[in-house]
């Protein structure tokens, strides 16, 4: 289930610069509880950088959308131990397909390098360090040549829904559903 | 204020879109407007289209502000994506296919009848009012993005199905004006807009792709409706232009029917496993089938594709059930159901009309689009069916290559000597109509090839024959042709006929008929007998003649005069044969009951 882990990491990197910096240690360490991610008093902290009507973090709105359109939370919250791979796969296929649709719509995610992995790759002479991670024996000055082991991902846009609900329900990612007979 | 933009608005049965082009640019630069809309309560997101659905809030929802938009507060309804989602969970409170109701002349489109069959406690609205709400939303989205260019000042093009008759066009026009669109609004036929979109993407190259005399059939299959139109390349005074030759009937059949058919098939597969689906799961299955269609229909797709229904509660994995759908079986199901091979002489199978007809939407009894196409080509070709040189596909359904191939294949069997080919060039199947409409608005200023055609139908006023009355029997009805097929915009015609007597101070009421096929009829022709397939009744026309001062006799002999305005609006006038007086006839229902 590394894929789900990768998705979680993706969100952390996207919304939390500090986490992005510690990504290496995160990968080898334990995941923090997702609910702990927003700092205390998210309403005050986020109000300044968002539209005045929104009282919750964009990260929560994104999670709510992933749940509504793709059942993302239902999938990652469920303990996997009791199910076979085929059961997990059957459910995950639909969830992943719909997650992808949401992510593509909001972020239009594209590879950083548009060539096949395993092929020879050359960095530009003056590249931003954040665009390439160089491994192996790195000597001399750029441009560097080497084999592309991961083509990278980048969001080419970032268009999130805006949320304008009451502060009282700002933390609700999916309402409880009650069917009235 | 002069217009800065041409706005092309595609008011679709299931999705609406707005494209725009700056009028001052020398070349057409058409863009699609992202439309902010509610996707769930309190959550607004921009999407490229606005689903044409309206949700009427429950009492605990309205007033909570959950349906607020950047430009509207305290709404008790919502349109767009949130309403489309509600269609599954609260069908009683959700309006869909309002556009199909607009052209359904058996009901009064100004009465609050939607959601159809909803219980009494749901506050209903009329098809015209629903249409107005969709348009208001699109306009508000535009004005939020372009506050310096109010819609009322722009060049606005609104598309309608080619098969809409004058009454449905009039209702659309009325909803558009009520929503705040300018009087200069132009109604453009959707298949024509699709052709214009093709012209934009091909640029000047189209002159090499089409030759003089070539005919083009536009096959537009939307979510809920299908539309067929025939266009040919003609020449006049050395100038090439496109001529619209014919349009088909309004067919209530589209991509949604295909998703449902697939879902029905898959539900059967679940049934074989002993899994019975509840209503919620059935809706979820419909969604899964829609998404799976793409994988199933791609030629390189896997031979079988799993379709799952996720567990309803938060126990997602444990509650998930899945079946394997054989690709070939699913493909055959849709091909045989909607695009079966057939002879060009075959015709759609008509349901025997029973004495009692239910009033709901008149869905097609024959879902075979190929048979409807055969009937269309047969009806417009004279002795032999018309042989189109090209087909232009439109509508998201045709993203599936197998469907395009099947249609081309069928046309190839009908015309083995010179098979119809797909029109070259890229085509955005989902947004072409809005794009083409915006281009049309731009081309009105800058020049460019135009599609001509005039009215797609001929129109008739019902005249009762005079003669001794027979008790219990209606007087025989004749149809007096007042508008011929192909009557051009900006023209008028005095209809030769005997004098028709109207009484001042009393309402005059005329039954009104139309035909998409009777090309031979000219104004003044009186048709004695016809079949229902040939001439159909539409909304009746009426006027009340106010008493005229100085006129002693209150009986006025009149003749008809019909006009098609420059903007394509139809008008029928009663002109006195003895004085200068004239009276305009209106479609019978004028007042929206709730307003």
């Amino acid at each position: 289930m590394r894929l789900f882990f990768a998705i979680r990491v993706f969100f952390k990197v996207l919304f939390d610069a500090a986490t992005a910096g510690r990504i290496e240690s995160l990968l080898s360490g334990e995941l923090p509880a997702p609910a702990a991610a927003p700092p205390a008093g998210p309403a005050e902290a986020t109000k300044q950088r968002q539209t005045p009507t929104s009282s919750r973090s964009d990260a929560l709105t994104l999670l709510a959308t992933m749940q509504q359109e793709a059942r993302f939370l239902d999938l990652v919250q469920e303990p996997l131990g009791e199910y076979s791979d085929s059961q997990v796969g059957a459910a995950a296929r639909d969830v992943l397909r719909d997650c992808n649709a949401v992510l593509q719509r909001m972020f239009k995610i594209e590879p950083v390098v548009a060539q096949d992995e395993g092929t020879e790759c050359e960095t530009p002479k003056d590249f931003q360090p954040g665009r390439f991670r160089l491994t192996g024996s790195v000597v001399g000055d750029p441009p560097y040549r080497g084999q592309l082991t991961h083509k990278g991902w980048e969001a080419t846009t970032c268009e999130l829904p805006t949320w304008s609900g009451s502060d009282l329900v700002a933390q609700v990612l999916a309402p409880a559903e009650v069917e009235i007979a | 204020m002069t217009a800065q933009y041409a706005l092309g608005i595609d008011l679709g049965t299931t999705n609406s879109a707005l494209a725009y082009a700056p009028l001052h640019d020398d070349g057409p630069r058409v863009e699609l407007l992202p439309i902010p809309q509610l996707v769930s309560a309190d959550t607004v997101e921009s999407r490229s289209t606005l689903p044409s659905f309206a949700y009427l809030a429950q009492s605990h929802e309205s007033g909570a502000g959950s349906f607020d938009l950047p430009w509207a507060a305290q709404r008790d309804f919502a349109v767009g994506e949130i309403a489309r989602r509600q269609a599954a969970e609260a069908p009683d409170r959700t309006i869909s296919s309002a556009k199909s109701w607009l052209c359904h002349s058996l009901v009064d489109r100004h009465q609050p009848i939607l959601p159809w069959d909803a219980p009494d406690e749901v506050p209903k609205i009329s098809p015209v009012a629903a249409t107005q709400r969709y348009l208001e939303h699109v306009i508000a989205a535009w004005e939020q993005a372009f506050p310096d260019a109010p819609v009322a000042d722009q060049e606005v093009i609104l598309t309608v199905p080619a098969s809409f008759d004058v009454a449905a066009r009039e209702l659309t026009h009325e909803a558009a004006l009520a929503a705040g669109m300018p009087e200069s609004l132009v109604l453009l036929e959707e298949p024509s807009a699709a052709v214009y979109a093709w012209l934009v993407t091909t640029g000047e190259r189209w002159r090499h792709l089409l030759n003089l005399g070539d005919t083009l059939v536009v096959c537009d299959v939307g979510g809920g409706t299908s539309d067929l139109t025939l266009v040919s390349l003609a020449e006049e005074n050395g100038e090439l232009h496109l001529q619209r030759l014919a349009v088909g009937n309004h067919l209530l059949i589209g991509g949604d029917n295909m998703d449902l058919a697939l879902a029905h098939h898959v539900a059967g597969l679940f049934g074989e496993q002993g899994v019975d689906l509840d209503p919620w799961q059935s809706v979820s299955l419909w969604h899964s089938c829609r998404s799976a269609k793409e994988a199933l229909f791609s030629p390189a797709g896997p031979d079988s594709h799993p379709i799952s229904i996720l567990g309803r509660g938060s126990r997602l994995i444990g509650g998930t059930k899945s079946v394997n759908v054989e690709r070939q079986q699913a493909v055959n199901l849709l091909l045989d159901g909607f695009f079966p091979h057939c002879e060009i002489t075959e015709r759609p199978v008509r349901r025997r009309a029973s004495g009692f007809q239910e009033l709901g939407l008149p869905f097609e009894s024959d879902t075979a689009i190929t048979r409807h196409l055969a009937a269309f080509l047969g009806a417009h070709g004279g002795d032999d069916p018309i042989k189109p040189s090209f087909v232009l596909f439109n509508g998201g359904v045709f993203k599936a290559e197998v469907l395009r191939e099947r249609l081309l294949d069928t046309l190839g069997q009908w015309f083995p000597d010179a098979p119809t080919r797909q029109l070259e060039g890229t085509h955005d199947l989902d947004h072409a109509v809005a794009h083409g409409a915006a281009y049309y608005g731009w081309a009105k200023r800058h020049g460019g090839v135009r599609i001509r055609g005039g009215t797609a139908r001929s129109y008739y006023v019902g005249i009762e024959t005079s003669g001794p009355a027979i008790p219990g029997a209606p007087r025989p009805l004749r149809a007096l042709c007042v508008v011929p097929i192909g009557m051009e915009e900006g023209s008028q015609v005095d209809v030769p006929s005997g004098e028709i007597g109207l009484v001042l101070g009393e309402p005059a009421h005329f039954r009104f008929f139309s035909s998409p096929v009777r090309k031979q009829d000219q104004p003044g022709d009186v048709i004695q007998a016809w079949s229902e397939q040939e001439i159909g009744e539409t909304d009746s026309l009426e006027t009340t003649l106010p008493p005229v001062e100085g006129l002693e006799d209150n009986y006025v002999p009149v003749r008809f005069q019909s006009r098609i305005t420059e903007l394509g609006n139809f008008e029928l006038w009663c002109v006195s044969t003895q004085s200068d007086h004239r009276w305009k006839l209106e479609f019978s229902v004028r007042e929206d009951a709730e307003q």
Side-chain angles (χ1 to χ4, degrees):
Chain A
M1 293 294 106
R2 290 217 316 267
L3 195 44
F4 302 141
F5 182 50
I7 294 169
R8 284 183 182 169
V9 170
F10 166 76
F11 288 123
K12 299 291 288 179
V13 171
L14 192 67
F15 290 106
D16 189 340
T19 308
R22 297 198 310 274
I23 193 74
E24 290 280 7
S25 57
L26 260 178
L27 280 166
S28 55
E30 280 183 5
L31 276 175
E44 276 69 35
T46 53
K47 245 177 190 167
Q48 288 135 16
R49 61 177 178 83
Q50 290 176 1
T51 53
T53 51
S54 180
S55 60
R56 80 169 170 190
S57 156
D58 279 350
L60 296 185
T61 301
L62 177 61
L63 280 179
T65 305
M66 300 282 282
Q67 165 64 12
Q68 163 158 301
E69 292 190 33
R71 311 274 313 269
F72 176 71
L73 294 176
D74 288 342
L75 186 66
V76 297
Q77 290 291 331
E78 196 158 10
L80 298 179
E82 51 187 294
Y83 303 116
S84 70
D85 281 2
S86 64
Q87 277 179 299
V88 176
R93 180 189 293 273
D94 283 26
V95 174
L96 292 175
R97 178 196 64 210
D98 294 345
C99 279
N100 180 260
V102 173
L103 295 179
Q104 284 307 330
R105 195 177 69 233
M106 294 181 180
F107 304 111
K108 294 196 174 60
I109 296 167
E110 285 173 15
V112 173
V113 177
Q115 66 183 70
D116 290 337
E117 288 171 6
T119 59
E120 185 105 329
C121 167
E122 187 179 294
T123 67
K125 204 166 178 190
D126 48 347
F127 65 89
Q128 294 292 321
R131 293 188 73 80
F132 291 89
R133 191 162 70 88
L134 306 172
T135 55
S137 55
V138 185
V139 286
D141 297 320
Y144 299 109
R145 294 177 66 83
Q147 202 188 47
L148 185 68
T149 49
H150 193 301
K151 57 190 172 184
W153 297 114
E154 67 177 322
T156 59
T157 181
C158 180
E159 285 169 18
L160 290 165
T162 54
W163 188 82
S164 60
S166 143
D167 287 355
L168 301 172
V169 292
Q171 307 287 91
V172 176
L173 299 174
E177 294 179 26
V178 181
E179 187 165 303
I180 315 292
Chain B
M1 199 169 160
T2 53
Q4 300 131 278
Y5 295 94
L7 308 188
I9 298 173
D10 172 11
L11 174 65
T13 315
T14 46
N15 282 295
S16 299
L18 186 155
Y20 60 97
L23 282 171
H24 302 302
D25 283 9
D26 288 337
R29 197 159 51 85
V30 184
E31 305 271 352
L32 206 63
L33 178 78
I35 303 175
Q37 57 195 285
L38 286 158
V39 292
S40 60
D42 298 315
T43 310
V44 173
E45 191 186 327
S46 288
R47 299 280 176 100
S48 60
T49 57
L50 179 79
S52 308
F53 290 79
Y55 172 71
L56 308 169
Q58 298 170 32
S59 52
H60 77 271
E61 294 169 319
S62 56
S66 292
F67 296 154
D68 284 2
L69 286 163
W71 55 81
Q74 301 301 313
R75 281 270 176 93
D76 59 358
F77 68 92
V79 299
E81 177 64 19
I82 186 175
R84 191 183 68 77
R85 290 183 154 270
Q86 292 290 352
E89 281 165 20
D92 282 352
R93 292 187 164 268
T94 313
I95 296 168
S96 58
S97 305
K99 179 165 140 185
S100 296
W101 286 96
L102 275 188
C103 64
H104 186 25
S105 64
L106 290 181
V107 299
D108 184 345
R109 274 71 49 85
H110 284 92
Q111 293 300 319
I113 54 170
L114 300 180
W116 186 249
D117 276 345
D120 289 343
E121 67 267 21
V122 176
K124 300 185 187 181
I125 62 174
S126 73
V128 174
T131 305
Q132 182 186 335
R133 288 183 183 183
Y134 304 147
L135 293 174
E136 279 170 347
H137 188 106
V138 173
I139 289 174
W142 167 262
E143 294 190 341
Q144 199 197 26
F146 294 85
D148 298 332
V151 164
D153 295 332
Q154 310 307 311
E155 175 84 52
V156 183
I157 316 294
L158 180 63
T159 61
V160 290
S163 49
F164 259 26
D165 64 15
V166 286
R169 279 166 208 243
E170 176 72 26
L171 291 166
T172 309
H173 189 247
E174 191 189 318
L177 292 192
M181 293 192 183
E183 291 278 351
S184 61
L185 171 74
V186 176
L187 297 183
L188 177 69
E189 292 173 4
E190 286 161 11
S192 298
V195 175
Y196 283 122
W198 176 77
L199 290 172
V200 192
T201 53
T202 37
E204 277 304 296
R205 218 159 53 84
W206 74 269
R207 290 174 194 276
H208 304 293
L209 297 173
L210 285 181
N211 293 312
L212 198 61
D214 277 351
T215 51
L216 169 64
V217 62
V218 185
C219 193
D220 184 4
V221 179
T225 53
S226 298
D227 227 351
L228 298 167
T229 288
L230 209 54
V231 177
S232 78
L233 188 63
E235 187 181 13
E236 195 179 85
N237 306 327
E239 286 271 321
L240 286 175
H241 71 267
L242 292 163
Q243 182 80 30
R244 194 234 312 93
L245 299 177
V247 304
N249 284 316
H250 197 66
L251 305 174
L252 281 188
I253 176 172
D256 292 349
N257 305 54
M258 299 178 199
D259 297 338
L260 264 182
L262 193 57
H264 188 75
H265 168 69
V266 178
L269 297 177
F270 276 107
E272 286 169 17
Q273 291 188 0
V275 180
D276 284 327
L277 306 176
D278 64 24
W280 185 88
Q281 289 173 317
S282 301
V283 169
S284 152
L285 177 63
W286 188 1
H287 170 73
S288 298
C289 287
R290 186 177 316 182
S291 309
K293 216 167 52 176
E294 207 160 315
L296 282 168
F297 279 176
S298 86
D303 287 343
S304 87
H305 184 85
I307 288 189
S308 305
I309 302 175
L310 303 179
R312 169 133 201 208
S314 67
R315 270 177 59 90
L316 175 103
I317 302 171
T320 292
K321 311 211 166 54
S322 51
V323 289
N324 267 318
V325 179
E326 299 295 326
R327 174 167 169 262
Q328 204 52 47
Q329 219 177 352
V331 167
N332 289 347
L333 175 83
L334 295 202
L335 286 179
D336 295 345
F338 297 91
F339 296 89
H341 280 301
C342 69
E343 298 297 324
I344 182 102
T345 48
E346 282 186 51
R347 293 293 174 263
V349 182
R350 288 187 186 277
R351 190 174 30 196
R352 288 237 160 263
S354 61
F356 176 78
Q357 195 186 359
E358 202 192 354
L359 219 50
L361 282 178
F363 292 106
E364 294 313 313
S365 47
D366 191 335
T367 56
I369 289 172
T370 39
R371 275 197 286 272
H372 288 288
L373 180 62
F376 173 66
L377 297 177
H380 293 286
D383 293 338
D384 292 316
I386 277 198
K387 183 169 78 178
S389 339
F390 294 98
V391 57
L392 176 66
F393 292 108
N394 197 45
V397 163
F398 286 116
K399 283 177 197 160
E401 194 180 326
V402 285
L403 299 186
R404 298 199 303 268
E405 273 176 1
R406 170 57 73 91
L407 202 73
L408 287 168
D409 200 36
T410 308
L411 283 161
Q413 290 181 358
W414 292 345
F415 310 111
D417 298 339
T420 305
R421 285 172 295 152
Q422 181 175 345
L423 200 56
E424 205 182 289
T426 52
H427 197 68
D428 180 346
L429 293 163
D430 285 323
H431 307 116
V433 169
H435 271 265
Y439 167 74
Y440 174 81
W442 177 87
K444 268 181 73 184
R445 298 286 180 97
H446 293 265
V449 67
R450 295 276 290 272
I451 302 171
R452 293 198 219 149
T455 53
R457 292 163 177 259
S458 50
Y459 291 92
Y460 308 83
V461 168
I463 306 285
E464 283 178 11
T465 50
S466 54
I470 305 164
R475 288 172 187 271
L477 194 72
R478 306 272 186 265
L480 169 68
C481 179
V482 292
V483 172
I485 284 183
M487 185 166 161
E488 299 253 359
E489 286 88 9
S491 68
Q492 67 178 43
V493 58
D494 290 306
V495 180
S497 73
E499 291 182 342
I500 293 136
L502 298 184
V503 181
L504 294 179
E506 281 184 17
H509 186 91
F510 295 97
R511 288 172 70 181
F512 197 51
F513 301 82
S514 77
S515 167
V517 289
R518 291 191 63 104
K519 290 197 175 77
Q520 69 276 28
D521 294 345
Q522 290 304 311
D525 288 358
V526 175
I527 320 302
Q528 310 283 339
W530 58 86
S531 71
E532 270 183 34
Q533 274 95 55
E534 208 178 13
I535 298 185
E537 181 156 15
T538 175
D539 295 61
S540 53
L541 288 160
E542 67 184 18
T543 187
T544 298
L545 283 58
V548 179
E549 277 188 41
L551 213 63
E552 287 177 16
D553 200 357
N554 64 352
Y555 172 87
V556 192
V558 299
R559 289 201 181 90
F560 293 111
Q561 184 189 66
S562 48
R563 293 181 59 193
I564 306 291
T565 68
E566 287 292 346
L567 301 176
N569 298 323
F570 163 80
E571 292 176 1
L572 188 64
W573 295 79
C574 295
V575 182
S576 166
T577 57
Q578 295 177 342
S579 66
D580 295 339
H581 292 101
R582 40 192 257 145
W583 300 269
K584 190 181 164 196
L585 289 168
E586 307 277 0
F587 287 104
S588 290
V589 264
R590 302 303 307 166
E591 295 298 314
D592 204 311
E594 60 159 13
Q595 287 170 353

